[in-house]
Amino acid sequence: MVDLHDLKHWFKKRNFKAIHDFLIWSISTSDYEYIHHPLGFLLTEIFRQDESVIRLHYWKHDLATSGSAVTPYHDHIWRLSSCVLFGEIENCILEVQIDPEGEYLLTEVEQSGRVDNVPAHGDRASFKIKKRERLRRGDFYYLPPRVFHFSGMVEGTDALTLVLSETEIDGSPRTLMPLGVPGHAPVRKKIANSSEVSSEILSNLGV
């Protein structure tokens, strides 16, 4: 039986085969429900223990532009480890600075349960892309808490990523809100065809 120690070890050692086979087993033996995340991908929780969570992100071109987030720019209070299982994504690291002439507000996301509220207040800020990395099947990437980033799809391919999150600090995640845009509550929607999505994912994994 796979436990949290196994999963952390596989991410640390970049053991793609073990993660790939674990995900096939998990999806084949479970009825997962998928949520359309505000950032545009489909999300399901594969494993949770204490402050650690394994999440599957399914990036589909036909859903990517219908997320409810105003911007994709954000950080986390948890350490992120990610494995690309299918397709290709681009991950960008941002350098954010407080800037009285900036075009964004550096805003803390107010979280209550599974509901996020993004207020339209905070320090004015600007950013530049510090690092841009294209990641393909078998690649891993890692981010400590409080690093701003965003990920996106590469033209012509859907993608699957498995993410290990390990909460390490207190506080709330942050985002960048464009000046003049009112606060909002990003929506997480359960989808109606979860069994079909699981079948698609298994097909993408080579089953």
Side-chain angles (χ1 to χ4, degrees), residues 57-60 84 86-89 153 157-161 204:
H57 295 179
Y58 185 16
W59 305 75
K60 291 170 62 72
V84 182
F86 172 82
E88 191 173 359
I89 64 167
M153 304 181 68
T157 179
D158 294 340
L160 288 169
T161 56
N204 288 335

Side-chain angles (χ1 to χ4, degrees), residues 26-90:
S26 296
I27 295 177
S28 298
T29 58
S30 304
D31 294 323
Y32 289 115
E33 288 189 332
Y34 296 86
I35 294 170
H36 191 200
H37 190 275
L39 292 176
F41 52 79
L42 295 180
L43 165 71
T44 194
E45 190 174 292
I46 300 293
F47 184 95
R48 175 183 289 269
Q49 183 177 325
D50 302 324
E51 296 298 315
S52 298
V53 186
I54 297 286
R55 299 176 172 94
L56 178 66
H57 295 179
Y58 185 16
W59 305 75
K60 291 170 62 72
H61 273 88
D62 57 350
L63 295 175
T65 60
S66 57
S68 57
V70 171
T71 74
Y73 316 126
H74 64 281
D75 71 4
H76 304 284
I77 62 170
W78 34 270
R79 180 170 298 275
L80 180 153
S81 304
S82 184
C83 172
V84 182
L85 290 147
F86 172 82
E88 191 173 359
I89 64 167
E90 184 175 69

Side-chain angles (χ1 to χ4, degrees), residues 122-134:
D123 293 325
R124 288 182 68 166
S126 59
F127 74 87
K128 63 181 180 180
I129 295 178
K130 183 178 180 181
K131 180 181 180 182
R132 188 186 298 270
E133 186 176 19
R134 187 168 284 196

Side-chain angles (χ1 to χ4, degrees), residues 11 14 57 59 76 79-84 89-93 131 133-136 138-144 149-152 161-164:
F11 275 97
R14 300 175 181 255
H57 295 179
W59 305 75
H76 304 284
R79 180 170 298 275
L80 180 153
S81 304
S82 184
C83 172
V84 182
I89 64 167
E90 184 175 69
N91 186 57
C92 296
I93 309 297
K131 180 181 180 182
E133 186 176 19
R134 187 168 284 196
L135 301 139
R136 300 171 177 83
D139 288 339
F140 289 75
Y141 65 100
Y142 304 89
L143 286 178
H149 82 122
F150 69 97
S151 298
T161 56
L162 197 67
V163 175
L164 166 63

Side-chain angles (χ1 to χ4, degrees), residues 96-102 105-106 122-127 174 176:
V96 177
Q97 60 184 7
I98 302 302
D99 178 356
E101 303 298 321
L105 295 174
L106 179 56
D123 293 325
R124 288 182 68 166
S126 59
F127 74 87
R174 301 175 298 175
L176 296 173

